[in-house]
Amino acid sequence: MKSLSRHTLEHWLDQTLQPQLFADYCPNGLQVEGTDTVSHIVTGVTASQALLEAAIERGADTVLVHHGWFWKNEDARIRGIKRQRLALTLQHNINVFGYHLPLDAHTRLGNNAQLARVLGLEPALNPDGQPRTCGPNQLIWLGHPSQPHTLESFSAQVSNALGRTPLVVGNPQQTLHTVAWCTGGAQGYMQAALEAGADLYITGEASEPNYHLANETQSGFMAAGHHATERYGVKALGEAIAQEFGVRVEFIDLDNPI
């Protein structure tokens, strides 16, 4: 079985995802230091107790996630579920890596890039060949369906691709021209997407104002699930690690209906 040093993995991840470019809500990179040698990585959306237990059961030495720990404004005390998760990690000498906004934004491996691939969206490109983006941290992607769609037909395609029925607001017979998307809990970015010319905005979660904004602007809004829209970036990142270093990488999808 091939292996690499924790330092080498950390350096490659930081070089690939460039976390220093983002003002994030959590620390990105190595969040908990474990074994020096990495030979079996488990990837997943969130570093939950269930994912940690699954990684331990499979004999993994490293966990790589999109939703890590130590979020801004959370209680800093090590108690309750935070203590349980951390104790389990330290007991088994496991490395925990987490990349939040840097993984959302990566133009090839990121959540937005991978969601476009899964849903059949063609990203719009700038003259330099980079994806056209807008909104805070340029996290919203813009593009169009790869085939002609109404809101109704595209919603059916999303449901089939993600294995869950999205929450949809808007005229079902509306023809889609420009679609904007940002995975996860980005429902607050809808106005920025509409100002960029989108007639459909896709994200993971919904808030009460999204309904009124969609109706009053005659646009479409789709909440396709926070977890469901963010499964694909960390999976692609793990596959890239396996290809680069030849180590064992295993994606575990612990479904979350939210």
Side-chain angles (χ1 to χ4, degrees):
M1 180 182 296
K2 291 188 176 181
S3 64
L4 71 158
S5 71
R6 181 187 63 244
H7 174 75
T8 298
L9 177 61
E10 182 179 13
H11 178 74
W12 185 88
L13 285 166
D14 285 346
Q15 288 291 109
T16 300
L17 298 176
Q18 299 288 299
Q20 73 277 6
L21 301 180
F22 298 86
D24 212 336
Y25 315 105
C26 60
N28 287 293
L30 181 63
Q31 295 187 333
V32 179
E33 183 180 302
T35 178
D36 292 334
T37 302
V38 174
S39 59
H40 184 181
I41 302 169
V42 157
T43 63
V45 177
T46 300
S48 63
Q49 183 88 3
L51 184 68
L52 293 172
E53 290 173 350
I56 292 165
E57 181 181 352
R58 288 162 170 77
D61 50 59
T62 300
V63 170
L64 170 62
V65 295
H66 178 51
H67 299 142
W69 298 340
F70 314 116
W71 296 90
K72 184 179 180 181
N73 297 326
E74 74 174 15
D75 189 339
R77 294 175 293 178
I78 307 299
R79 56 189 299 179
I81 63 170
K82 182 183 286 188
R83 180 193 181 280
Q84 294 171 25
R85 292 175 177 181
L86 189 56
L88 189 63
T89 303
L90 295 175
Q91 177 187 350
H92 291 273
N93 203 25
I94 293 174
N95 296 299
V96 176
F97 288 88
Y99 289 89
H100 186 231
L101 295 184
L103 185 56
D104 286 323
H106 194 274
T107 57
R108 182 172 58 87
L109 303 173
N111 285 320
N112 284 331
Q114 291 296 315
L115 186 65
R117 176 186 61 81
V118 171
L119 298 187
L121 291 167
E122 295 286 344
L125 301 178
N126 291 319
D128 63 0
Q130 293 300 303
R132 183 182 164 213
T133 59
C134 66
N137 285 307
Q138 298 296 305
L139 288 173
I140 303 170
W141 283 39
L142 296 158
H144 57 85
S146 57
Q147 297 179 345
H149 272 290
T150 63
L151 179 58
E152 182 178 48
S153 66
F154 188 68
S155 299
Q157 180 167 304
V158 171
S159 179
N160 182 65
L162 299 184
R164 57 174 292 155
T165 302
L167 183 157
V168 181
V169 180
N171 176 5
Q173 301 312 312
Q174 173 186 0
T175 300
L176 301 181
H177 301 287
T178 300
V179 177
W181 63 97
C182 186
T183 66
Q187 60 268 46
Y189 295 174
M190 183 178 178
Q191 183 65 52
L194 297 180
E195 290 174 357
D199 45 38
L200 169 64
Y201 178 55
I202 305 170
T203 187
E205 299 184 33
S207 293
E208 194 268 353
N210 296 122
Y211 175 81
H212 305 294
L213 187 55
N215 282 335
E216 293 171 22
T217 59
Q218 291 78 55
S219 62
F221 172 78
M222 183 182 296
H226 194 136
H227 176 92
T229 59
E230 296 198 322
R231 289 179 293 205
Y232 305 103
V234 73
K235 185 175 186 291
L237 182 62
E239 291 169 352
I241 293 169
Q243 183 174 7
E244 178 74 17
F245 298 106
V247 295
R248 182 181 177 188
V249 181
E250 189 175 359
F251 174 68
I252 299 178
D253 184 19
L254 301 177
D255 191 39
N256 182 338
I258 297 174

